Amino acid sequence: MTASGINEATLRRLRPDFLWGAATAAYQVEGAVAEDGRGTSIWDTFSHTPGRTLNGDTGDLAADHYHRYPEDIELMASHGMGAYRFSIAWPRIVPDGAGAVNQRGLDHYSRLVDALLDRGVEPMATLFHWDLPQALEERGGWYARDTAHRFADYAEIVLAALGDRVPKWLTLNEPWTVVGQGYSRGVHAPGHRDYHTAGTAIHHLLLGHGEALARFRAIEAEGAEMGITLSMALPRPWSRRPADVAAARLLDGEQNRVYLDPLFRGSYPPDLAELFPTLFDDAIVRPGDLTVISEPIDYLGVNYYLNHLVAADPAVPVLGARQIHPEGPMMSAGIAAVPEGIRECLVRIRDEYRDLPLYVTEMGASLHDYVDPTGRVRDTARIDYLRTTVESISNAVADGVDVRGLYVWSLLDNLEWELGYSIRFGLFFVDYGTQRRIPKDSARWYRSLISEHAELTRDRADRGPSW
Ligand code: FCB
């Protein structure tokens, strides 16, 4: 047994160049919301609206990563991490969503990327992690087809500036969360509560993805690749009753298939016609759109948190289904900790959709961490969670799935959207009062895991790329 507690054969199975990284998102960590010409995003508006976030928390200061990124990169490098997934804030680049480009915003990310490369940390940039420019929201947000075109314009600007140095790109982060939480259930920005029209937002997000990908292909950034990150959920029926089975199937459609099918098969699932009627309306989904959306991506990013049982419940409006958390360990915020589920998600992509390179672009555990009197953060439950995560990814590799990296959510404690700063996901504890970073036990554990894996796969790495 190794120091990480993962057996050697399990670790050896992961490719020598498997990327071990961590992830963040701009609004959750950057702060500096009024600096260097940044425009307003829907999350500024939402978090400043009373009652929308827990305790009225906002990202105004967050983890101050905008200023402290050199120190944060140092933490990654000194803990052996070879990759960093961050997001670019659209309102820093095109403050009004369309028109004038803000060079100071581009310069910031250019410095960040150079600093990463200097320390041997490979950047992976997400173009949209939910911070839509407020000006575009006022013109309809993702209900408006024009937003997809504006997204492609913004993507092209960023790609022209950074495409030569950033090898991995993601267009969107978790369109399901944008729509499911922001357009259907109303708990995320922009706060709409309307399933009936949510399909329109789904389609425009995916169209934006497809158009951004087309611009990327046209630029021919050498050595760079592009994909999209989806959140994969595992809804299972509560019982074998046909009503529960149908309810679970509906949630699987709403959370997984409505994104996977158009991306990989070029069509929307017909069984969702009642839930998302606009996805079957020719005025919204125009000829050729699905061809743009289904252009092959270079890899898929998978985020996984949600594992639930689903029971039919006519009292629940629209979906007629209730989610029940399975028994087992719970993380704070009621997120069930079932990291084993990642294996099934990864295998499913290969079996039902396409055999393509996969990156786990987020998995992580939320806890109520604290610094104990000896100055340590003993986050044993997070270490257990991550150990199982790595074992489950390795099991998927044993099943023949091409998994190439893991980006732990998250590098730092940060603003957990509507839950504010109430829960912590970081490998590094952030003392928000002083902005001091404290490596949690999990950060040290991650470092030992990374070096063990390097040690165990050294022979194969030396043999070069033909292993
Ligand atoms: C994901 C988000 C990420 C973070 C984690 C906990 O859905 O992509 O920003 O909030 O959940």
Side-chain angles (χ1 to χ4, degrees), residues 28 129-130 173-174 177 303 305 362 409 416-417 425:
Q28 296 180 272
H129 202 126
W130 311 350
N173 177 67
E174 299 190 358
T177 314
N303 294 355
Y305 299 93
E362 284 183 29
W409 186 270
E416 180 46 33
W417 307 109
F425 270 98

PDB file of all heavy atoms in Angstrom, residues 28 129-130 173-174 177 303 305 362 409 416-417 425, ligand 1:
ATOM      1  N   GLN A  28     -16.079  32.911  -8.682  1.00  0.00           N
ATOM      2  CA  GLN A  28     -15.976  32.286  -7.358  1.00  0.00           C
ATOM      3  C   GLN A  28     -14.686  32.641  -6.619  1.00  0.00           C
ATOM      4  O   GLN A  28     -14.633  32.538  -5.400  1.00  0.00           O
ATOM      5  CB  GLN A  28     -16.088  30.766  -7.494  1.00  0.00           C
ATOM      6  CG  GLN A  28     -17.443  30.336  -8.021  1.00  0.00           C
ATOM      7  CD  GLN A  28     -17.564  28.831  -8.151  1.00  0.00           C
ATOM      8  OE1 GLN A  28     -17.203  28.272  -9.176  1.00  0.00           O
ATOM      9  NE2 GLN A  28     -18.067  28.157  -7.141  1.00  0.00           N
ATOM     10  N   HIS A 129     -18.052  30.243 -17.491  1.00  0.00           N
ATOM     11  CA  HIS A 129     -18.435  29.594 -16.232  1.00  0.00           C
ATOM     12  C   HIS A 129     -19.447  30.527 -15.548  1.00  0.00           C
ATOM     13  O   HIS A 129     -19.223  31.026 -14.452  1.00  0.00           O
ATOM     14  CB  HIS A 129     -17.194  29.312 -15.379  1.00  0.00           C
ATOM     15  CG  HIS A 129     -17.381  28.229 -14.353  1.00  0.00           C
ATOM     16  ND1 HIS A 129     -16.547  27.139 -14.256  1.00  0.00           N
ATOM     17  CD2 HIS A 129     -18.301  28.055 -13.364  1.00  0.00           C
ATOM     18  CE1 HIS A 129     -16.930  26.356 -13.252  1.00  0.00           C
ATOM     19  NE2 HIS A 129     -18.007  26.896 -12.701  1.00  0.00           N
ATOM     20  N   TRP A 130     -20.497  30.846 -16.299  1.00  0.00           N
ATOM     21  CA  TRP A 130     -21.759  31.403 -15.783  1.00  0.00           C
ATOM     22  C   TRP A 130     -21.837  32.918 -15.617  1.00  0.00           C
ATOM     23  O   TRP A 130     -22.920  33.446 -15.349  1.00  0.00           O
ATOM     24  CB  TRP A 130     -22.162  30.741 -14.463  1.00  0.00           C
ATOM     25  CG  TRP A 130     -22.127  29.240 -14.499  1.00  0.00           C
ATOM     26  CD1 TRP A 130     -21.976  28.427 -15.608  1.00  0.00           C
ATOM     27  CD2 TRP A 130     -22.256  28.350 -13.389  1.00  0.00           C
ATOM     28  NE1 TRP A 130     -22.002  27.114 -15.242  1.00  0.00           N
ATOM     29  CE2 TRP A 130     -22.168  27.021 -13.894  1.00  0.00           C
ATOM     30  CE3 TRP A 130     -22.441  28.552 -12.024  1.00  0.00           C
ATOM     31  CZ2 TRP A 130     -22.257  25.897 -13.069  1.00  0.00           C
ATOM     32  CZ3 TRP A 130     -22.533  27.434 -11.205  1.00  0.00           C
ATOM     33  CH2 TRP A 130     -22.439  26.125 -11.720  1.00  0.00           C
ATOM     34  N   ASN A 173     -19.101  25.657 -19.148  1.00  0.00           N
ATOM     35  CA  ASN A 173     -19.132  24.803 -17.971  1.00  0.00           C
ATOM     36  C   ASN A 173     -20.578  24.476 -17.607  1.00  0.00           C
ATOM     37  O   ASN A 173     -21.378  25.378 -17.353  1.00  0.00           O
ATOM     38  CB  ASN A 173     -18.486  25.506 -16.770  1.00  0.00           C
ATOM     39  CG  ASN A 173     -18.587  24.653 -15.505  1.00  0.00           C
ATOM     40  OD1 ASN A 173     -17.972  23.587 -15.431  1.00  0.00           O
ATOM     41  ND2 ASN A 173     -19.388  25.079 -14.541  1.00  0.00           N
ATOM     42  N   GLU A 174     -20.902  23.202 -17.608  1.00  0.00           N
ATOM     43  CA  GLU A 174     -22.185  22.709 -17.107  1.00  0.00           C
ATOM     44  C   GLU A 174     -23.406  23.486 -17.597  1.00  0.00           C
ATOM     45  O   GLU A 174     -24.081  24.149 -16.797  1.00  0.00           O
ATOM     46  CB  GLU A 174     -22.201  22.724 -15.569  1.00  0.00           C
ATOM     47  CG  GLU A 174     -21.157  21.855 -14.909  1.00  0.00           C
ATOM     48  CD  GLU A 174     -21.387  21.717 -13.398  1.00  0.00           C
ATOM     49  OE1 GLU A 174     -22.320  22.323 -12.851  1.00  0.00           O
ATOM     50  OE2 GLU A 174     -20.608  20.985 -12.758  1.00  0.00           O
ATOM     51  N   THR A 177     -26.446  23.243 -15.338  1.00  0.00           N
ATOM     52  CA  THR A 177     -26.610  24.078 -14.151  1.00  0.00           C
ATOM     53  C   THR A 177     -27.097  25.465 -14.548  1.00  0.00           C
ATOM     54  O   THR A 177     -27.942  26.060 -13.866  1.00  0.00           O
ATOM     55  CB  THR A 177     -25.287  24.156 -13.359  1.00  0.00           C
ATOM     56  OG1 THR A 177     -24.763  22.835 -13.256  1.00  0.00           O
ATOM     57  CG2 THR A 177     -25.495  24.736 -11.985  1.00  0.00           C
ATOM     58  N   ASN A 303     -17.988  16.767 -15.073  1.00  0.00           N
ATOM     59  CA  ASN A 303     -18.078  17.118 -13.652  1.00  0.00           C
ATOM     60  C   ASN A 303     -19.108  16.191 -13.041  1.00  0.00           C
ATOM     61  O   ASN A 303     -20.163  15.945 -13.648  1.00  0.00           O
ATOM     62  CB  ASN A 303     -18.580  18.557 -13.448  1.00  0.00           C
ATOM     63  CG  ASN A 303     -17.612  19.604 -13.961  1.00  0.00           C
ATOM     64  OD1 ASN A 303     -16.512  19.286 -14.403  1.00  0.00           O
ATOM     65  ND2 ASN A 303     -18.026  20.859 -13.908  1.00  0.00           N
ATOM     66  N   TYR A 305     -21.193  15.308  -9.393  1.00  0.00           N
ATOM     67  CA  TYR A 305     -21.550  15.480  -7.985  1.00  0.00           C
ATOM     68  C   TYR A 305     -22.852  14.770  -7.624  1.00  0.00           C
ATOM     69  O   TYR A 305     -23.039  14.349  -6.500  1.00  0.00           O
ATOM     70  CB  TYR A 305     -21.758  16.963  -7.628  1.00  0.00           C
ATOM     71  CG  TYR A 305     -20.563  17.853  -7.826  1.00  0.00           C
ATOM     72  CD1 TYR A 305     -20.386  18.546  -9.022  1.00  0.00           C
ATOM     73  CD2 TYR A 305     -19.620  18.014  -6.813  1.00  0.00           C
ATOM     74  CE1 TYR A 305     -19.285  19.375  -9.205  1.00  0.00           C
ATOM     75  CE2 TYR A 305     -18.518  18.838  -6.991  1.00  0.00           C
ATOM     76  CZ  TYR A 305     -18.354  19.518  -8.200  1.00  0.00           C
ATOM     77  OH  TYR A 305     -17.275  20.326  -8.383  1.00  0.00           O
ATOM     78  N   GLU A 362     -14.141  18.343 -12.797  1.00  0.00           N
ATOM     79  CA  GLU A 362     -14.471  18.709 -11.420  1.00  0.00           C
ATOM     80  C   GLU A 362     -14.948  17.480 -10.669  1.00  0.00           C
ATOM     81  O   GLU A 362     -15.816  16.759 -11.152  1.00  0.00           O
ATOM     82  CB  GLU A 362     -15.638  19.718 -11.329  1.00  0.00           C
ATOM     83  CG  GLU A 362     -15.297  21.120 -11.684  1.00  0.00           C
ATOM     84  CD  GLU A 362     -16.477  22.071 -11.510  1.00  0.00           C
ATOM     85  OE1 GLU A 362     -17.353  21.812 -10.652  1.00  0.00           O
ATOM     86  OE2 GLU A 362     -16.523  23.055 -12.256  1.00  0.00           O
ATOM     87  N   TRP A 409     -12.154  19.860  -7.688  1.00  0.00           N
ATOM     88  CA  TRP A 409     -12.857  21.059  -7.271  1.00  0.00           C
ATOM     89  C   TRP A 409     -12.749  21.146  -5.767  1.00  0.00           C
ATOM     90  O   TRP A 409     -13.284  20.271  -5.092  1.00  0.00           O
ATOM     91  CB  TRP A 409     -14.336  21.059  -7.704  1.00  0.00           C
ATOM     92  CG  TRP A 409     -14.930  22.380  -7.360  1.00  0.00           C
ATOM     93  CD1 TRP A 409     -15.554  22.744  -6.192  1.00  0.00           C
ATOM     94  CD2 TRP A 409     -14.868  23.555  -8.169  1.00  0.00           C
ATOM     95  NE1 TRP A 409     -15.882  24.075  -6.222  1.00  0.00           N
ATOM     96  CE2 TRP A 409     -15.472  24.591  -7.421  1.00  0.00           C
ATOM     97  CE3 TRP A 409     -14.350  23.848  -9.453  1.00  0.00           C
ATOM     98  CZ2 TRP A 409     -15.579  25.902  -7.926  1.00  0.00           C
ATOM     99  CZ3 TRP A 409     -14.469  25.130  -9.939  1.00  0.00           C
ATOM    100  CH2 TRP A 409     -15.080  26.137  -9.172  1.00  0.00           C
ATOM    101  N   GLU A 416     -19.478  29.615  -3.076  1.00  0.00           N
ATOM    102  CA  GLU A 416     -20.258  28.523  -3.665  1.00  0.00           C
ATOM    103  C   GLU A 416     -21.624  29.067  -4.111  1.00  0.00           C
ATOM    104  O   GLU A 416     -22.665  28.715  -3.572  1.00  0.00           O
ATOM    105  CB  GLU A 416     -20.356  27.357  -2.689  1.00  0.00           C
ATOM    106  CG  GLU A 416     -21.135  26.135  -3.173  1.00  0.00           C
ATOM    107  CD  GLU A 416     -20.827  25.655  -4.591  1.00  0.00           C
ATOM    108  OE1 GLU A 416     -19.684  25.782  -5.048  1.00  0.00           O
ATOM    109  OE2 GLU A 416     -21.766  25.183  -5.239  1.00  0.00           O
ATOM    110  N   TRP A 417     -21.582  29.961  -5.093  1.00  0.00           N
ATOM    111  CA  TRP A 417     -22.785  30.494  -5.726  1.00  0.00           C
ATOM    112  C   TRP A 417     -23.837  30.927  -4.705  1.00  0.00           C
ATOM    113  O   TRP A 417     -23.526  31.693  -3.811  1.00  0.00           O
ATOM    114  CB  TRP A 417     -23.304  29.477  -6.767  1.00  0.00           C
ATOM    115  CG  TRP A 417     -22.215  29.080  -7.735  1.00  0.00           C
ATOM    116  CD1 TRP A 417     -21.588  27.874  -7.801  1.00  0.00           C
ATOM    117  CD2 TRP A 417     -21.579  29.906  -8.730  1.00  0.00           C
ATOM    118  NE1 TRP A 417     -20.623  27.891  -8.778  1.00  0.00           N
ATOM    119  CE2 TRP A 417     -20.600  29.117  -9.365  1.00  0.00           C
ATOM    120  CE3 TRP A 417     -21.739  31.235  -9.168  1.00  0.00           C
ATOM    121  CZ2 TRP A 417     -19.784  29.596 -10.395  1.00  0.00           C
ATOM    122  CZ3 TRP A 417     -20.933  31.709 -10.198  1.00  0.00           C
ATOM    123  CH2 TRP A 417     -19.982  30.913 -10.799  1.00  0.00           C
ATOM    124  N   PHE A 425     -14.840  23.906  -0.354  1.00  0.00           N
ATOM    125  CA  PHE A 425     -14.472  22.815  -1.260  1.00  0.00           C
ATOM    126  C   PHE A 425     -12.959  22.735  -1.490  1.00  0.00           C
ATOM    127  O   PHE A 425     -12.486  21.858  -2.196  1.00  0.00           O
ATOM    128  CB  PHE A 425     -15.111  23.043  -2.645  1.00  0.00           C
ATOM    129  CG  PHE A 425     -16.482  22.457  -2.847  1.00  0.00           C
ATOM    130  CD1 PHE A 425     -17.626  23.237  -2.700  1.00  0.00           C
ATOM    131  CD2 PHE A 425     -16.636  21.127  -3.226  1.00  0.00           C
ATOM    132  CE1 PHE A 425     -18.894  22.704  -2.923  1.00  0.00           C
ATOM    133  CE2 PHE A 425     -17.896  20.593  -3.452  1.00  0.00           C
ATOM    134  CZ  PHE A 425     -19.025  21.381  -3.305  1.00  0.00           C
TER     135      PHE A 425
HETATM  136  C1  FCB B   1     -20.232  22.793  -9.995  1.00  0.00           C
HETATM  137  C2  FCB B   1     -19.731  24.133 -10.502  1.00  0.00           C
HETATM  138  C3  FCB B   1     -18.616  24.727  -9.698  1.00  0.00           C
HETATM  139  C4  FCB B   1     -18.805  24.498  -8.226  1.00  0.00           C
HETATM  140  C5  FCB B   1     -19.124  23.058  -7.933  1.00  0.00           C
HETATM  141  C6  FCB B   1     -19.290  22.737  -6.473  1.00  0.00           C
HETATM  142  O1  FCB B   1     -21.539  22.596 -10.419  1.00  0.00           O
HETATM  143  O2  FCB B   1     -19.288  23.991 -11.841  1.00  0.00           O
HETATM  144  O3  FCB B   1     -18.508  26.072 -10.050  1.00  0.00           O
HETATM  145  O4  FCB B   1     -19.728  25.366  -7.716  1.00  0.00           O
HETATM  146  O5  FCB B   1     -20.277  22.675  -8.612  1.00  0.00           O
END
